[in-house]
Amino acid sequence: MSAPFAGVLCSKFSPQVALISSILGLGLATFVFAEADTFWQLLLARGAQGAASAAVLCGGLSLIAETHPQNVRGKAMGYAQSGLAAGMLMGPIIGGLLFEQLGRKNTFRFAAGMVLANAIAMILLMGVAPPESSWGGEEREKKDDVHKKVVEGEEQQLSLVKSSRQLLRNFDILAVTASTFVIHAVVGVIKPLSQVVLDKEFGVTMVKRSFIISIATLAFFIAAPIAGILSDRMQRSHLVALSLVLMSCSSAFFALRHLGLWAFYLSVALLGVAMGVQKSSSQSLLADLVDKHKLGEYSMVYALSDVADSLGLIVGPLVGLALSQIYGPSVGVLSIGILCLLLTPVLLRIA
């Protein structure tokens, strides 16, 4: 929920400042993990890590939107999301191997050192000045119009408060962030239930469970760059709508798992594909909408998207698991899957 502060940091200084500051914070939080001896120290470190991660996403996505024109922005977003998935895939494997060889403290120290080295490399390669857009001519002039309003011949910078209010009143922006919310709500329900289902219903071992659930991350890794490339060639709102349909199918196959383990495999794979398609296309679409409606800085729309992401992961399990306990084990995930379908026509109407 620290994303709005990250958005302000991007707007007041630059995406690089937010990105590098968050990487430094992430490195320090990781170092605290190494030295922590109590539960409260671990809780503090985890909270700091989450706050820093929000700023990483906000700063990174804003930097991509600032430096890539509309016709290649989707491809860049797709590669960024694929990098995120690669980290999620490789992190547990590398971390586990290091943990066996070095122990907990040295593993976290090594990770903290890598993160801090990354921050230093960013400072040397990018600096902290606001980025220069990589395009010119008419498109550059359009971009300048997004950040400034001309009133009687005088340029006035859009205030942060005013641009934030405009974001919250824009129906298209809210529709895209709603898609982020419901997509992550489904993930929030399926993720905790998966361990229980694989153990109690299918008798799958812990190691095999980890591999099965990682199918989603692998599907995310493959789908994100493909969706990014496609979003540069077709209507981005249609791809977001497609991700909602895929996620509703994922929830349906999760409910049909009594047909066999193959249904669960398909549910997890569709979940990963839906996540990859939604993230790559929606982040590009949000930048397009900021340009189209002259809503100011990109950072605040990505902060709003990150808040929707977090709320989905919080509200989804609370509502979905409560419904499952009252009405049946699959009712919660099916209910949120239906919400995905109901939201689909709203996304299709975005021009």
Side-chain angles (χ1 to χ4, degrees), residues 310-327:
S310 301
L311 286 175
L313 292 173
I314 294 170
V315 176
L318 291 176
V319 175
L321 295 178
L323 289 173
S324 296
Q325 287 181 341
I326 298 171
Y327 299 107

Side-chain angles (χ1 to χ4, degrees), residues 107-128:
T107 297
F108 277 111
R109 287 168 183 164
F110 178 78
M114 287 183 62
V115 173
L116 294 174
N118 184 30
I120 294 170
M122 285 182 173
I123 293 171
L124 296 175
L125 293 173
M126 298 190 308
V128 295

Side-chain angles (χ1 to χ4, degrees), residues 111 142 170 180 185:
K142 290 179 183 178
N170 187 282
T180 300

Side-chain angles (χ1 to χ4, degrees), residues 160-286:
L160 190 60
V161 174
K162 187 175 182 180
S163 62
S164 299
R165 287 176 180 171
Q166 289 176 334
L167 283 176
L168 295 174
R169 293 172 182 170
N170 187 282
F171 182 83
D172 291 345
I173 295 286
L174 293 178
V176 178
T177 52
S179 74
T180 300
F181 172 82
V182 294
I183 285 278
H184 286 84
V186 175
V187 175
V189 178
I190 289 181
K191 188 176 180 180
L193 285 177
S194 294
Q195 293 286 351
V196 177
V197 165
L198 289 172
D199 180 26
K200 302 296 184 182
E201 297 183 16
F202 296 103
V204 176
T205 63
M206 177 66 77
V207 174
K208 191 175 179 181
R209 271 181 271 165
S210 299
F211 280 107
I212 292 173
I213 293 172
S214 68
I215 292 173
T217 309
L218 181 60
F220 184 170
F221 173 77
I222 296 170
I226 296 173
I229 293 170
L230 288 175
S231 72
D232 290 332
R233 301 178 182 180
M234 60 182 290
Q235 195 82 3
R236 285 169 177 152
S237 58
H238 292 177
L239 280 173
V240 179
L242 173 62
S243 72
L244 292 170
V245 174
L246 290 172
M247 190 59 86
S248 66
C249 291
S250 172
S251 66
F253 278 106
F254 185 85
L256 292 172
R257 62 189 182 276
H258 63 275
L259 298 177
L261 195 55
W262 65 268
F264 185 87
Y265 286 156
L266 188 54
S267 171
V268 172
L270 285 171
L271 183 146
V273 173
M275 288 281 289
V277 173
Q278 197 274 340
K279 282 185 171 291
S280 295
S281 54
S282 68
Q283 305 300 356
S284 305
L285 179 58
L286 286 172

